Amino acid sequence: MQKANAAQQPSSNRRPGARLAWIGQGFLLLLAIMVVIILGRNLIDNPELFIQIIISGLQLGFVYALIALGYTMVYGIVKLINFAHGDVFMVGAFVSYYAVARFQLHVWPSAFFPDLDPLVTVTLGSLSVILLSMITCAALAITIERVAYKPLRDAPRIAALITAIGVSFFLEFFGALSFVFSPRFIPYQRPFDVVTWYIKDGIYLVEPGKAPPAGSITFSNILLIIAVASILVQVFLQFLVRKTKIGKAMRAVAFDKPTARLMGINVDAIITTTFAIGAAFAGLGGVLYAIAYSSIWSQLGILPGLKAFVAAVLGGIGSIPGAFIGALIMGQAESLTAGYISTPMRDAIAFTILILVLLVRPTGIFGEPEKEKA
Amino acid sequence: MRTFKIVVLLALVVMLLSACAAPTPTPAPKPTEAPKPTTAPAQPTAAPKPTDAPKPTEAPKPTVAPTKAAEPTKAPEPTKAAAPTSAPAAGGTLKIAILAPLSGPVPTFGVMTRDGALLAIEEWNAKGGVNGMKIQAVVEDSQCTPDPAVNAANKVIDQDKVKFIIGEVCSKASIPVSEIANAKKIIQISPTSTNTDVTVGKDGKAKDYIFRACFIDPFQGQVGAKFATENLKAKTAFIMLDQANDYVKGLAEEFEKAFVKSGGKVVGKENYTAKDTDFSAILAKVAAAKPDVIYLPDYYNIVNLAAKQAKEKGITAPFLGGDGWDSSDLDLKAADGGFFTNHYSPDSTAPEAVAFLKNFGAKYKDAKGNAAVPDALAALAYDATNLMLTAIKDAGSDDTTKVKPALEKISFQGVSGKITFDALHNPVKSATILQVKGGKVSFAAQVAP
């Protein structure tokens, strides 16, 4: 940040730079006004459609939040952008697919306790599927960290970053081998059924094969599950980082690694734990994403991963609440673009946001300007 | 911070490029533009292991290359090998070449094509041949690849003195073959190549001696629109398409034109990209527009996603699509209630189709020894061969300059529908509509254009 400030100050003294900045800011302002006007008009035109689009954006945003947490935590501690994170997310989706479709893990409670209430059975079964995915992803991340990142801990940051990209490609294309996940699109089998409700003068169930009445807003149990999971994870992480010993150690390592080591903190163990926690939540996100959008393939992780990364930068990379807020904004931006401009535009918009953030406020919404230490 | 920015942007560019350049596993999507094997709904296991299917009865020894040099074509050398018995062997032999990809990327297509064509030839021989001539098949492996296909074509034309070619299956192999065949006045009927350039030359006119037996892609859009307005009584339609995919775009555009022309209204048209997984924004608009049908002529992977998400949003309008749906990976539960156009269905109730299914099953067995179920490729090869032989019979001669006009004005009732040819040598024929219902794909209707 020091450098960015240094770059800004002389630019305000120099004429052309100042004029350029003025043009840029004016352009941004214009853009913002345009967006607000377009959205406002659409809201008035068809409020139900608008709310429907917001809801689908929320669903996307909560999933991105789960992935973005991993990016932001890892960056906060080792200053590494772990590009393999999106592919860990993909592995999470595949683990749950095999658990459900091949091994029927989701029905184990009914096999052992046939008298249980079906709701309890489904919940237990789904939870065990999710847990398995989370554990597998955590184990995968620990392996990746040990094999690919740890030997490079003292190397320049760019080396680790390139390694991360390499690991990412490895996971994608290794997964695409026909005896691994295969390069095909695979229809995902869900551990539980989707139930949809619609809101119109109250909340009613959407009967299969029957259309909800005109002007109603629909939402599904998946949205609720994703939202609850995402918020719980957020709360849990806040608790972990602020109130526990391991959280304290994490913050210490993030602040100053050598000193933390001198204080008797096992830095390597803390870093590994951070990777594992981030990956576990990516695994959770992968399962929920696959349940929501129900088709998986070996490159499933690339785009959600990149967008979650943009979300993390937007929120301020290194900041956990920032990742959450950034992800929600990304979800909305994408959904509104798809709804009111065109679907193919939404990826472009996502990355435009990244560029704008880096230009206007590289530290993101919640990011603190870097202190002298760097 | 500046290094951070640069690094981040660089990394992002790399990732994005890789994301875009990655070989999209366009899921078995018409690798050849040929109709994919119809999922035989009745016996899903009977996907006839084609390579070892037809061993027992391979009747006419395929590649009997006359080693003696430059003999005149009508050299009355009697057919050897297992020629059926009732032949009056009057006017010599008529050779028909079958160029099929028996090896290479799509061997199952080749085997089915060869089997369909050989069945037709055997049936004609059993009836006494054509114009008193016995029919002899010359089978060549053309590998769905331009070079081997050209070599095979040159061989059958120059060495075997063949004047009639059935094949190739794949457009990219059919096009170079068609150049050779047309120049040498050899009649070629491709059973399954859908690319326009197979029958149309660079001048935009039909190549004189080249025909095809399958309809081309945009035609499916027209038939889909007709089915929507007449059978489903749809007044409004919503079109979902991937602008980047020519196949999808072609079908969608033709559907729109035909649907509007027949009095329907397109209430919405939305784009997506092949990598999309979240269709909720588009589907929110679909729900708001309340169309009678949703036209989605994409491959099964997109259909799986979009149809499933639509069901969950309480959208009840049926989905309608093209032969890209035809895959064993189609999610039958998600697509339930949907319809798609295809070339042929083994469930077809037309008498020709019933007889074909029976005879094919009697002649060929699958790996388990059950009667093999012909797919669209076999049906189209069978039709192509019958078209050729009928035209030769109509012309009363095997002179290709006389057979060509006979083919152009032919009206032939084939397994895949009634076939006539338009000015560009594309068949005008009916399409089969298949319905996804109750966990299987079944025959719904035969729709003439």
Side-chain angles (χ1 to χ4, degrees), chain A residues 25 35 43 74-75 92 132 148 160 163 170 175 251 316:
Chain A
Q25 280 160 8
V35 169
L43 174 60
V74 167
Y75 184 84
L132 177 74
T163 311
F170 170 76
R251 282 181 288 148

Side-chain angles (χ1 to χ4, degrees), chain B residues 24-233:
Chain B
T24 317
T26 348
K30 323 191 83 191
T32 56
E33 307 172 22
K36 270 148 282 138
T38 320
T39 28
Q43 43 205 127
T45 42
K49 271 280 187 189
T51 27
D52 36 14
K55 285 286 144 57
T57 40
E58 234 169 82
K61 269 277 187 186
T63 35
V64 202
T67 36
K68 285 145 271 174
E71 257 163 334
T73 5
K74 275 199 195 167
E77 78 179 2
T79 1
K80 43 177 171 172
T85 41
S86 65
T93 46
L94 173 82
K95 284 185 188 168
I96 291 192
I98 301 165
L99 302 186
L102 298 172
S103 64
V106 284
T108 61
F109 289 2
V111 171
M112 273 293 174
T113 304
R114 177 193 67 190
D115 291 354
L118 288 181
L119 178 65
I121 291 175
E122 187 176 281
E123 287 177 9
W124 276 80
N125 274 338
K127 283 187 291 184
V130 59
N131 299 339
M133 287 181 286
K134 296 293 298 174
I135 305 147
Q136 186 189 343
V138 180
V139 180
E140 284 294 329
D141 180 7
S142 46
Q143 297 180 10
C144 184
T145 315
D147 280 351
V150 165
N151 291 341
N154 281 329
K155 181 197 165 256
V156 296
I157 294 169
D158 297 336
Q159 200 177 339
D160 298 339
K161 303 294 173 197
V162 169
K163 290 195 284 181
F164 304 96
I165 296 176
I166 303 292
E168 226 268 342
V169 168
C170 309
S171 291
K172 65 177 177 205
S174 290
I175 292 170
V177 171
S178 74
E179 302 292 343
I180 299 171
N182 199 38
K184 295 189 175 171
K185 300 193 178 175
I186 305 293
I187 294 203
Q188 178 195 3
I189 303 182
S190 168
T192 47
S193 298
T194 51
N195 192 307
T196 334
D197 294 342
V198 174
T199 62
V200 179
K202 291 193 183 66
D203 54 358
K205 286 197 202 114
K207 296 174 189 166
D208 282 341
Y209 294 91
I210 317 296
F211 296 80
R212 78 175 102 219
C214 58
F215 46 66
I216 54 175
D217 286 339
F219 177 77
Q220 292 193 55
Q222 297 166 10
V223 176
K226 184 163 178 193
F227 178 75
T229 46
E230 289 181 5
N231 297 46
L232 299 178
K233 308 278 175 234

Side-chain angles (χ1 to χ4, degrees), chain A residues 67-341:
Chain A
I67 316 173
L69 286 173
Y71 275 113
T72 221
M73 282 172 65
V74 167
Y75 184 84
I77 289 196
V78 279
K79 301 279 177 284
L80 163 72
I81 301 161
N82 180 14
F83 273 114
H85 197 60
D87 303 293
V88 172
F89 164 86
M90 175 271 291
V91 171
F94 268 95
V95 168
S96 72
Y97 166 75
Y98 286 115
V100 171
R102 285 278 166 82
F103 301 107
Q104 308 287 321
L105 182 68
H106 62 301
V107 291
W108 72 266
S110 63
F112 286 101
F113 316 103
D115 307 332
L116 273 180
D117 184 55
L119 187 69
V120 179
T121 322
V122 168
T123 317
L124 270 182
S126 309
L127 278 181
S128 42
V129 169
I130 290 175
L131 215 65
L132 177 74
S133 285
M134 290 174 71
I135 293 169
T136 316
C137 285
L140 176 68
I142 292 172
T143 319
I144 293 173
E145 201 268 333
R146 279 288 143 93
V147 173
Y149 301 151
K150 199 176 166 201
L152 294 172
R153 190 131 315 140
D154 298 320
R157 270 163 59 188
I158 190 99
L161 185 92
I162 292 168
T163 311
I165 294 177
V167 172
S168 161
F169 284 1
F170 170 76
L171 287 177
E172 280 154 24
F173 292 97
F174 181 70
L177 293 178
S178 55
F179 56 87
V180 187
F181 301 145
S182 91
R184 294 179 313 132
F185 285 85
I186 298 169
Y188 185 80
Q189 190 187 339
R190 292 163 168 157
F192 56 86
D193 288 326
V194 178
V195 185
T196 316
W197 293 275
Y198 67 88
I199 310 175
K200 190 173 191 183
D201 319 319
I203 297 176
Y204 306 94
L205 202 68
V206 175
E207 313 265 342
K210 256 195 237 163
S216 56
I217 294 156
T218 59
F219 66 96
S220 67
N221 54 351
I222 293 177
L223 169 71
L224 299 182
I225 291 167
I226 290 178
V228 168
S230 194
I231 292 167
L232 278 184
V233 164
Q234 186 64 28
V235 171
F236 167 77
L237 276 184
Q238 283 298 337
F239 171 78
L240 184 87
V241 171
R242 304 263 162 236
K243 305 278 183 207
T244 62
K245 217 168 174 181
I246 194 165
K248 206 181 226 173
M250 278 178 180
R251 282 181 288 148
V253 172
F255 194 76
D256 191 340
K257 243 179 276 166
T259 316
R261 191 173 278 134
L262 287 177
M263 297 293 140
I265 293 170
N266 186 344
V267 172
D268 283 332
I270 293 296
I271 291 174
T272 307
T273 317
T274 313
F275 267 94
I277 292 173
F281 294 140
L284 169 64
V287 181
L288 295 177
Y289 188 86
I291 291 173
Y293 303 118
S294 76
S295 176
I296 53 176
W297 66 304
S298 58
Q299 295 185 6
L300 172 80
I302 300 182
L303 274 181
L306 285 179
K307 284 171 188 162
F309 166 69
V310 177
V313 174
L314 172 62
I317 194 149
S319 148
I320 291 172
F324 187 69
I325 300 294
L328 289 185
I329 295 176
M330 284 296 294
Q332 290 310 331
E334 228 186 89
S335 187
L336 289 170
T337 314
Y340 292 119
I341 305 175

Side-chain angles (χ1 to χ4, degrees), chain A residues 1 4 7 46 49 52-53 56 60 75 81 83 157-158 161 165 168-169 173 183-185 187-188 190 194 196 206 209-212 214 218 289 292-295 297 299 302 306 309 317 335 338-340 343-344 346 351 354-355 358 362 370, chain B residues 1-5 7-12 14-16 18-19 22-28 243 270-282 284-286 288 290 300-301 304-305 308-309 311-316 329-331 333:
Chain A
M1 202 54 222
N46 191 345
L49 182 62
Q52 192 69 64
I53 287 172
S56 63
L60 217 51
Y75 184 84
I81 301 161
F83 273 114
R157 270 163 59 188
I158 190 99
L161 185 92
I165 294 177
S168 161
F169 284 1
F173 292 97
R184 294 179 313 132
F185 285 85
Y188 185 80
R190 292 163 168 157
V194 178
T196 316
V206 175
K210 256 195 237 163
T218 59
Y289 188 86
Y293 303 118
S294 76
S295 176
W297 66 304
Q299 295 185 6
I302 300 182
L306 285 179
F309 166 69
I317 194 149
S335 187
Y340 292 119
T343 314
R346 63 179 168 188
F351 298 112
L354 176 70
I355 292 168
L358 289 180
E370 248 171 55
Chain B
M1 216 56 224
R2 179 174 294 156
T3 39
F4 172 73
K5 271 199 253 180
V7 163
V8 162
L9 281 177
L10 257 180
L12 207 85
V14 171
M15 297 294 284
L16 267 179
S18 80
T24 317
T26 348
Q243 285 281 13
E270 286 293 328
N271 289 317
Y272 54 83
T273 63
K275 286 175 191 247
D276 283 351
T277 48
D278 174 16
F279 290 86
S280 38
I282 295 181
K285 288 190 193 171
V286 174
K290 291 202 168 300
Y300 60 91
N301 61 315
N304 286 350
L305 277 169
K308 190 176 239 170
Q309 289 176 29
K311 281 234 157 37
E312 286 155 16
K313 293 199 182 315
I315 293 170
T316 51
D329 274 352
L330 180 70
D331 185 342
K333 215 170 137 204

